[in-house]
Structures are given as structure tokens and as C-alpha cells.
Amino acid sequence: MTRTRTALLLVAALLSAGLVGAPPAAPAAAWSRIATGVEYRTLDIPSARGTARAHVLSADLADARVSAGLLYPGVVAARSALSVLADGAGATAGVNGDFFHITEAQHPGVEATGAPVGPAVADGRPLKAAVPNGQRFGPALPPGTSTRQVLGVGEDGRARVGELALEGAVSTPHGELPLGGLNQYALPVGSVGVFTKDWGGASRVRATCGTDTQRSAPCSKETYEVTVRGGKVEAVAETPGRGVIESGTEVLVGREEGARELRKLAVGDLVSVRHKLVAAGDASTASYRFAVGGFPVLRGGEPLGGLDGVTAAVRTAAGVGGDGTRLLLLALDGGPGFRSGLTVSELAATMKGLGASDAVNLDGGGSSTLVARQEGATKVSVLNHPSGGVQRAVPNGIGIFVKPAS
């Protein structure tokens, strides 16, 4: 199929989805080569609100030299500009990732952690689990979805959209406690969560604020923290603390019933913590090499029901095509001429028109950023215009990597 015919089919798909009417959509710009297996294009999408410009990257994961991975600052509760994350990891291209805990106006005096909403996996290692649905940031979730949804790449090298749930427990002299969180800025009511070196040095107080259904609910008045080093309780505290957690040390934070259970522990008690992220679906394909949180907008080639078709914004998305061998990354332009953006429903139709069978909505607005390193360049360049005029510091992103020719 020629590039011209592909562009025409894309425009036809957008038209049939009701995304565009008169005037007709501008022809999609031709794909340009970024590196082996990685291409870039722009697409202008007219609507009654104005024209939205999409910047799109396509990565061929069937090429042995091409892979995808998580871009992040080395810990969960930290942020950096996407270009810095990409250059630091040696990525060829990428987009920003998950929605995150950007502000804490609802709990004065409590620190905003900067940590993402959903699960995260880097190089096969789980970094964090998902916060409760009511604690998330971003547009309303489509019916039947949750904060546990991710886009990632499995050990088989294929991209997919799936779900990762936390499974774990804390074994103590008084019995076993179910684990309710892993490096999360919000813990379920009544639970115990664990924080590891992957969390970073940010305060852990926010983990005990809000409820499972209301992010703005007051912070819990019943909390407890236990520091475990080398399998033994080293210290206890009435309130969650802050600071870097050393390797071999775990910090348990409890709220309500979880706090009451942790109060039973004394310095010197033996404690062990086990945790893993478990993927839904076929166990033979469940292991993720990398994963980033995002809520689905496209499944099996069809938009999910209940998507917002009213509120337009600058948005970011990632999609899967070619039976998992093609990864599509999209960020809308936030420049003054294109800031009208797309609704979530329009975003889903756009990803379908680009050839995605499954897709997720990622963080948008001032976070929407797409970067790429042209051949011969030593650093990536920002290809879209972030709506804030400069790159917003973000907690993670999706990176595309290309191995040099041997």
C-alpha cells in the first residue's frame, strides 16, 4: 500500500468517524524517517472548534533493533522534562506518560508528590501500583475501566493494553496483612502500603489523605508507620515521614484499620513483605517488560462506550497496531493556532484512523509533549508545541529505543 493511499484511507476513517466535516480534512503529511523502524508525521484535524494538529510517531517493534521502555527520573515521586528523560535514557523518541499527582490544593500543608496514578514497570521490575479510582487525576474513566489499566510491552516484544493489579502481603508475628499499596501517593482506606527505594525522598503523608471515592476528603487521623530493615522492625512512628529509603529497607504506612494492625509491631519484630503486579488475562503473555498507566479509549478496533464527546483539550495517546508489532504515539500541538484540541471520543477515533486496534489516553494539557532525535543529532528535539510554552516536568513517559547497527 502506498503512502498516499494510506493517507487517504486515514482521512476517510476520520470522516466516517464523524471527526471532521466541511471543510474536508487536510491531507496527512507523509511519514518521515526518524531512525530504523521509527517514522514521524503530522495530521491536521478540522472541527467546529478549529483545527487540531496531531504529531504522531510509529515504531516497528517487529524490527529487532527497535524497542520501547519506560522513561522516568529513577524514582516514582519525581518529575523532569520529557527531553531530559529521553536523553538520559538514550531514547530515540517518546511521549509523556501517565496522569500524575500534580497539585495538593485540597489538603493545605500536604506535599504534592508528583507520582503517577497508575501502575509502572521498568525493565521488567514493578515500580508502583495504582491508586484507588477516586484518587486519580484526569478525565472521567470510561465505564468498566480503572486506574489499573496500562499500555506496555511484554517479554514477547509485543505491545498491548492490559491491566495490572497488586498482589502481596505483610507477614508479622501477629499474622498476615494484605498489602494495599506499592509506592502510591494514595492508599485505600483501612489498608497498609509499602514504600521502597523506588519511591524516592518525597513525603509519604499524602498516602493517608482522601478516600477511595473522594480525593478531596480529609487526611486520616489514624495513621502509623513502621520501618523494616533486613527483615526486622527498626523504627515506628505515629505519622508518615519523608526521605530517601535505602536499599534493603521498606517503610510500611497504615491508615485506619491498617494503622491499628501496624501498632501491634515492636522494634525487633520479624517482618517480611512480598509483592508483585499481576496481569489480567492469559498467564502465558502476562509478563510486562515495561508498562505505563493510562485509561483505554479504543479496544478491539472500537471506541469504548461512554467516552467524553464534549470537552476538548490538548491530549496525548498511545496505541497498538499490527497485532502488537506497531506502537503509535500521539501528542497534540498546544500552539495558539491548534489549542482547540480534541475530545476523548475524537481522540479514540483518530487513533483508530491511524491503524490502532487498542489505545489509551495519557496525560494532556501542558504535559502533552512529543520528542525525537533526528539522525546525526546528539539530543532529542520537541516536535510539538507544549501548551504552556515550555515543557512541563512529568513523572514518566514512553520511550522508543533503536540499537545502532552492528
Side-chain angles (χ1 to χ4, degrees):
M1 183 181 292
T2 67
R3 297 291 189 198
T4 300
R5 187 181 175 199
T6 300
L8 291 174
L9 288 175
L10 171 60
V11 172
L14 294 172
L15 286 166
S16 65
L19 271 176
V20 296
W31 289 104
S32 61
R33 185 178 187 271
I34 295 293
T36 298
V38 182
E39 295 181 306
Y40 164 75
R41 83 193 303 177
T42 60
L43 172 67
D44 286 352
I45 308 168
S47 75
R49 301 176 305 274
T51 299
R53 172 164 291 176
H55 297 257
V56 186
L57 289 167
S58 174
D60 180 9
L61 299 182
D63 189 315
R65 292 172 55 187
V66 180
S67 62
L70 188 73
L71 303 176
Y72 76 111
V75 294
V76 168
R79 298 192 290 150
S80 187
L82 181 67
S83 61
V84 173
L85 297 179
D87 286 335
T92 298
V95 295
N96 64 287
D98 199 359
F99 295 89
F100 60 96
H101 182 209
I102 189 172
T103 183
E104 199 42 72
Q106 295 167 326
H107 301 99
V110 176
E111 176 184 331
T113 64
V117 168
V121 176
D123 298 321
R125 186 166 60 90
L127 298 179
K128 71 174 300 290
V131 303
N133 285 353
Q135 293 270 16
R136 65 182 296 276
F137 291 80
L141 285 168
T145 66
S146 75
T147 54
R148 296 189 298 271
Q149 258 77 51
V150 296
L151 178 140
V153 173
E155 294 297 340
D156 57 1
R158 293 177 180 267
R160 63 182 183 271
V161 173
E163 181 177 324
L164 285 172
L166 176 65
E167 183 179 288
V170 181
S171 296
T172 79
H174 309 285
E176 193 167 86
L177 307 175
L179 194 63
L182 168 64
N183 294 326
Q184 298 167 206
Y185 69 77
L187 294 173
V189 172
S191 73
V192 173
V194 64
F195 292 81
T196 70
K197 64 181 180 62
D198 290 323
W199 171 252
S203 170
R204 298 177 288 275
V205 170
R206 179 57 184 80
T208 60
C209 298
T211 66
D212 299 355
T213 57
Q214 186 179 0
R215 195 176 69 215
S216 62
C219 297
S220 175
K221 296 184 181 301
E222 191 173 9
T223 65
Y224 205 66
E225 181 172 277
V226 174
T227 301
V228 178
R229 183 191 295 272
K232 289 185 179 180
V233 175
E234 183 181 70
V236 297
E238 292 292 327
T239 58
R242 63 171 300 138
V244 173
I245 301 171
E246 297 180 2
S247 180
T249 298
E250 298 156 316
V251 177
L252 301 173
V253 174
R255 55 178 299 177
E256 296 88 33
E257 179 60 28
R260 292 192 286 274
E261 289 296 328
L262 290 183
R263 285 180 186 278
K264 298 176 182 179
L265 297 174
V267 173
D269 280 351
L270 296 178
V271 173
S272 65
V273 183
R274 67 178 189 275
H275 59 77
K276 62 181 178 179
L277 293 179
V278 179
D282 184 357
S284 66
T285 60
S287 182
Y288 280 85
R289 181 185 303 166
F290 113 86
V292 65
F295 71 82
V297 296
L298 193 66
R299 182 180 291 155
E302 296 300 328
L304 273 69
L307 297 180
D308 180 4
V310 176
T311 307
V314 176
R315 302 187 187 279
T316 301
V320 179
D323 196 25
T325 60
R326 186 182 182 209
L327 180 62
L328 290 160
L329 306 180
L330 176 150
L332 296 183
D333 201 289
F338 304 102
R339 206 167 288 167
S340 57
L342 298 175
T343 67
V344 177
S345 180
E346 290 170 337
L347 182 71
T350 300
M351 295 304 291
K352 178 179 179 178
L354 286 166
S357 58
D358 299 273
V360 298
N361 182 24
L362 301 170
D363 193 16
S367 297
S368 288
T369 311
L370 184 144
V371 301
R373 174 163 44 89
Q374 303 289 346
E375 288 188 287
T378 59
K379 295 184 177 182
V380 298
S381 299
V382 179
L383 300 187
N384 72 328
H385 296 89
S387 61
V390 295
Q391 294 183 73
R392 174 187 285 170
V394 294
N396 59 29
I398 300 173
I400 297 174
F401 299 83
V402 180
K403 294 179 182 178
S406 57

